[in-house]
Amino acid sequence: ASIKGITREDIEQFYQKYYHPNNMILGISGDVHKDEIVKKLEDVFAGWSQQKVDLPPEPDVPARTGRQVYFVHRDINQTSVRVGNPGIKQDDPDFFKLLVANQILGGGFTSRIFNELRTKQALAYAAAAGQAGGLGAPGYIFTFSETRANATVKGIDTILRVIEQMREQPVTDSELQDAKDGLLSSFVFNYDRASKIVNRQVVLDYFGMPADYLQKYRDSIATVTKEDVLEVTKKYYQPDKAVILVVGNEKAFDKPLSSVGPVTTIDLNKWQ
């Protein structure tokens, strides 16, 4: 209903309010020469004047005092589960430590979440962990799993237990090295074309990140220690204050979701 209600006038007003040269960054890659492309850009955008831009305030994220479960009913035979906590910004000194920790928790086939949920207990079709955002806002850290409906709560309990174990004792030397190798190997493919490098640099510049952020990425990963991982997991992994999103058919669950924490039901039908 919100999308259908948008008019041409709404789009024009939005453009006039926010699209100004002092509110934009332009990145270019390709077979061009700098002087030539700058001249063309100056010709194209000549007369485009700067304007005062008032961006809407970002909403505050309320602090959590306890665990909360959000449930969406769907008549399906499997369950999607997300377990998360607030993250940190990418310019935080702890960012790369947390990146390595999340890789150990759920960054690949040897990760703890994957090994426990899928390999050992066969509870999930997919199981992983990661972190999102971290530029304009702190973002979040999360686990992701898809499991059969009749193992929903057992799967959630397992995830919470694995997260708690990460907080209790240091990871192994092999886990630490595998995590670093995995992050550094994948990093190369994120920037194997000029367009990818330019896109990333534009984003980093927009959010005020250091100009040498990408150059220092490898060293920042390589210097993370087991003690660092334990430090950040104790600090940011908070299973007792986790937000848990569950999408599935509660009639097929092995236990009531209320056994995990207070449940809030979300009715998506009212937005259709």
Side-chain angles (χ1 to χ4, degrees), residues 91-111:
D91 58 359
D92 191 296
D94 287 339
F95 177 76
F96 289 101
K97 303 173 187 178
L98 191 58
L99 196 63
V100 173
N102 287 332
Q103 183 75 5
I104 295 171
L105 178 64
F109 295 121
T110 61
S111 68

Side-chain angles (χ1 to χ4, degrees), residues 89-92 95-96 134-136 200-214:
K89 296 185 72 173
Q90 292 192 27
D91 58 359
D92 191 296
F95 177 76
F96 289 101
L135 287 171
R200 182 61 172 168
Q201 201 64 48
V202 164
V203 171
L204 292 173
D205 189 45
Y206 180 85
F207 287 107
M209 297 293 287
D212 60 353
Y213 177 84
L214 295 181

Side-chain angles (χ1 to χ4, degrees), residues 168-227:
E168 294 174 347
Q169 55 189 1
V171 299
T172 66
D173 291 330
S174 61
E175 284 180 315
L176 182 67
Q177 192 59 52
D178 287 346
K180 292 181 179 181
D181 291 344
L183 288 170
L184 294 176
S185 296
S186 62
F187 178 77
V188 175
F189 295 103
N190 290 332
Y191 306 101
D192 56 357
R193 294 202 306 270
S195 59
K196 291 183 179 180
I197 297 173
V198 170
N199 287 338
R200 182 61 172 168
Q201 201 64 48
V202 164
V203 171
L204 292 173
D205 189 45
Y206 180 85
F207 287 107
M209 297 293 287
D212 60 353
Y213 177 84
L214 295 181
Q215 287 79 0
K216 289 186 175 180
Y217 185 98
R218 181 179 293 274
D219 291 340
S220 298
I221 292 293
T223 55
V224 174
T225 66
K226 293 190 297 183
E227 291 73 23

